[in-house]
Amino acid sequence: MTIPRRSWRGAGAFAAAAVVGLAGGVLSAGPAAAHTPTWAVTCSEVTLNLTQYSKDVANQVTVSVVGGDVLLPTTEFGRDFSTKTPLQLPKHDKELTVRLVVKAGDSDKYSVDQTKVAPVCEETTPSATPTEEAPSETPGTEPATPEAPAPSATPSETATEAAPAPAEPSSSAPDLAETGSSSATPVIGGAALAVLLAGGGILWSVRKRRSVQH
């Protein structure tokens, strides 16, 4: 069977049109896929990672708490932008709504306006303070009290027995002078009387001689 030449030409034109349309679709989808805003929100911080934006225009990014603080004032960036240090959220006891606004400089269709919820951080309960164990009331065994030595039977008797006996005087020691009368007293008295009488006789004879001479 012979296919007419016109049919080949028509089929070739249709295939060329399909290829062009597919290429156009890929090219038009390429820029859309290139703008990639990635961000995350926890109970205490926000992280950003914006990649593959147009470097030939000025892009802008802003992060804030809805009805509250501005975490990142409006900042211009080129192709990429990321937070080297996470943005810190204020302390809160209820959920916060965080808003991300990205304005693409090449087209508004690549701009982003999103919100995420930051939950309340769970506070860690400090561990209970360990209680000190009270010492036992009484030790298991008490030290034995030393007994006092028993007193001697009779201190006075012991002292008397222990005291040395008085030393007896030596027989060779000289006799002490006798007090009171002795057997020699009459002899001494007689001799004294004789001396007195003799003296008296002498005095009488002397006086008598003197009287005769005168």
Side-chain angles (χ1 to χ4, degrees):
M1 180 179 180
T2 303
I3 299 175
R5 185 174 296 178
R6 290 182 179 179
S7 299
W8 282 106
R9 291 179 179 176
F14 178 77
V19 170
V20 172
L22 181 61
V26 170
L27 292 175
S28 61
H35 299 71
T36 308
T38 303
W39 65 305
V41 177
T42 66
C43 69
S44 60
E45 60 187 24
V46 180
T47 56
L48 295 176
N49 189 24
L50 311 178
T51 59
Q52 311 226 350
Y53 280 79
S54 176
K55 64 180 180 179
D56 298 329
V57 295
N59 306 297
Q60 295 180 349
V61 57
T62 306
V63 181
S64 61
V65 176
V66 176
D69 300 340
V70 176
L71 304 179
L72 178 66
T74 302
T75 304
E76 293 186 356
F77 66 98
R79 181 177 179 82
D80 301 319
F81 179 85
S82 61
T83 52
K84 295 180 180 180
T85 302
L87 305 176
Q88 299 298 315
L89 288 169
K91 292 184 178 180
H92 52 282
D93 55 2
K94 61 181 179 180
E95 295 181 346
L96 298 179
T97 301
V98 183
R99 181 183 179 188
L100 169 67
V101 177
V102 179
K103 291 184 177 181
D106 49 354
S107 177
D108 287 340
K109 65 180 181 180
Y110 304 130
S111 298
V112 174
D113 190 345
Q114 299 177 354
T115 58
K116 290 186 179 183
V117 175
V120 178
C121 294
E122 295 181 0
E123 295 183 359
T124 57
T125 304
S127 59
T129 305
T131 56
E132 297 181 357
E133 296 183 0
S136 57
E137 296 180 357
T138 55
T141 57
E142 295 182 356
T145 303
E147 296 181 357
S152 59
T154 306
S156 60
E157 294 178 1
T158 306
T160 303
E161 293 176 359
E168 295 180 357
S170 174
S171 58
S172 60
D175 296 334
L176 299 175
E178 294 183 1
T179 59
S181 62
S182 65
S183 58
T185 301
V187 177
I188 296 172
L193 180 60
V195 171
L196 290 175
L197 292 175
I202 295 170
L203 289 176
W204 179 79
S205 61
V206 170
R207 287 179 181 178
K208 187 175 180 182
R209 288 177 181 178
R210 288 179 179 177
S211 63
V212 173
Q213 290 177 0
H214 291 290

